[in-house]
Amino acid sequence: MLRVIGDPITAALGGRMSADQIEARKEAAGLNRPLLTQYWEYISGLARGDFGYTREHQAVSEVIVTYGAATAELVFWSLLVAFAVGIPLGRFAATHRDSAADVGLRLFGILAYAAPVFFVGLLLKLIFSVWLDWLPVSGRASPLVEGQLQNVSPKTNVMVIDAILYGDGEYLVDVLKHAVLPALALGLLTAGVFLRLVRINLIQTLRSDYVDAARARGLSRRVVTGRHAFRNALIPVVTVMGLQIAMLLGGAVLTERTFEWKGLGNQLAIYLGQRDFFAVQGIVAFIALLVAVMSFVVDVVVAMIDPRVRF
């Protein structure tokens, strides 16, 4: 679609180069060939792991390796926040159905899902960085720490692991403090989904015949809920994990820009601003491939934990 709406060379350099120069660059990049030919060549390249090149002739695969670890780290911390917040609150809301707490938690779930992630990020920065001065306002680490961690060998580009390899506890604390606000901003987005999923599925599970049978055997409400109903209520959460990872990767673009987190989402926004559509196309193709793979893995995991899916 990027090729249909206009070629990247004209979009990036139009008005700054003569028509002959732009035409020469289009010819060198193969943009004068039929769209189907360009599409086939690009798909063939993807099959070989070739995601194309940026306007500066840097391989997009190198960009992914350099900045992808930071995005993976942010998504990991965000998932921890989503699980830690959404699942316990969803269970509490289900076991206290129609109470004031349940109504409040449902409203929280809706707001957490609906609020723009950049607005939540700015609000968190205002409260915890500006007003309370508890946490850093941006970045993956302090400039001094980030500079020192460049010398770690082997370098993973995952700040937490690099700080552990460096062997300085203060550096590790600094890295973790920088991760709190971005993880909260992005994690609350998914926490709202988990909260509502766990609540509605636990309520439905508690109405099942096998739960009534467990109560008839004299088991306590706590045991029935925790040992029998709650586990089955978590299956839909695992089912939607693939979609939630896609949501996190999409939200990472705005989160990384808000917190100056130097990851793949932030780099994608930079390429968009530069109109480097070759790089944008490669990064988006990689993210789409990653989401597809994760969705397949989630389907396999669901089939393993829920025998009903196999039939």
Side-chain angles (χ1 to χ4, degrees):
M1 292 301 297
L2 288 172
R3 304 292 176 91
V4 171
I5 63 176
D7 68 89
I9 302 296
T10 303
L13 302 175
R16 291 187 288 168
M17 285 188 172
S18 66
D20 292 340
Q21 289 176 314
I22 291 177
E23 195 64 27
R25 292 206 173 198
K26 288 169 60 177
E27 184 69 30
L31 297 178
N32 288 334
R33 287 173 293 179
L35 282 175
L36 288 178
T37 302
Q38 295 182 49
Y39 179 71
W40 172 252
E41 289 181 353
Y42 190 76
I43 294 299
S44 301
L46 288 180
R48 300 190 303 270
D50 180 8
F51 291 92
Y53 291 83
T54 69
R55 205 170 64 201
E56 287 77 22
H57 306 292
Q58 181 184 11
V60 174
S61 56
E62 293 180 8
V63 176
I64 293 170
V65 171
T66 303
Y67 296 98
T71 298
E73 184 180 7
L74 176 59
V75 169
F76 173 77
W77 294 125
S78 301
L79 279 175
L80 287 185
V81 171
F83 284 128
V85 174
I87 292 179
L89 292 183
R91 174 174 176 170
F92 184 86
T95 54
H96 296 77
R97 185 184 178 190
D98 295 330
S99 65
D102 178 33
V103 174
L105 289 174
R106 277 186 286 168
L107 288 174
F108 168 76
I110 294 172
L111 289 174
Y113 177 75
V117 66
F118 66 88
F119 172 76
V120 175
L122 292 173
L123 193 62
L124 291 173
K125 289 170 71 172
L126 181 64
I127 295 173
F128 294 102
S129 299
V130 178
W131 291 351
L132 299 176
D133 195 24
W134 287 354
L135 296 168
V137 69
S138 63
R140 298 179 64 196
S142 301
L144 175 62
V145 174
E146 192 168 357
Q148 291 293 330
L149 293 183
Q150 297 298 322
N151 303 319
V152 173
S153 181
K155 184 171 175 56
T156 65
N157 290 322
V158 178
M159 282 290 183
V160 172
I161 297 178
D162 288 344
I164 293 174
L165 293 175
Y166 193 84
D168 192 316
E170 293 184 1
Y171 285 9
L172 179 60
V173 171
D174 181 82
V175 169
L176 292 174
K177 288 173 67 175
H178 279 78
V180 172
L181 293 186
L184 278 175
L186 188 56
L188 289 177
L189 176 71
T190 305
V193 178
F194 287 171
L195 190 158
R196 294 174 63 80
L197 272 176
V198 171
R199 177 189 177 276
I200 190 64
N201 283 285
L202 184 55
I203 289 174
Q204 292 175 352
T205 305
L206 288 172
R207 296 172 178 170
S208 302
D209 293 338
Y210 73 88
V211 172
D212 293 335
R215 288 171 176 164
R217 292 200 303 269
L219 298 178
S220 67
R221 179 181 178 182
R222 180 178 179 182
V223 172
V224 171
T225 301
R227 186 175 300 174
H228 297 278
F230 184 60
R231 292 181 180 178
N232 288 333
L234 290 180
I235 292 176
V237 175
V238 179
T239 304
V240 301
M241 277 297 298
L243 295 176
Q244 298 313 308
I245 290 174
M247 182 186 297
L248 289 173
L249 289 171
V253 177
L254 295 174
T255 306
E256 289 179 6
R257 292 295 284 174
T258 302
F259 290 95
E260 299 178 24
W261 187 277
K262 297 177 182 178
L264 199 58
N266 180 67
Q267 200 63 24
L268 176 61
I270 291 174
Y271 287 135
L272 281 168
Q274 296 174 347
R275 297 187 176 185
D276 190 342
F277 294 149
F278 291 112
V280 171
Q281 182 174 301
I283 293 174
V284 170
F286 170 75
I287 292 175
L289 181 63
L290 181 62
V291 170
V293 171
M294 290 303 301
S295 297
F296 174 75
V297 172
V298 167
D299 288 342
V300 173
V301 171
V302 170
M304 293 173 61
I305 64 178
D306 187 0
R308 296 172 297 178
V309 178
R310 303 172 196 168
F311 301 98

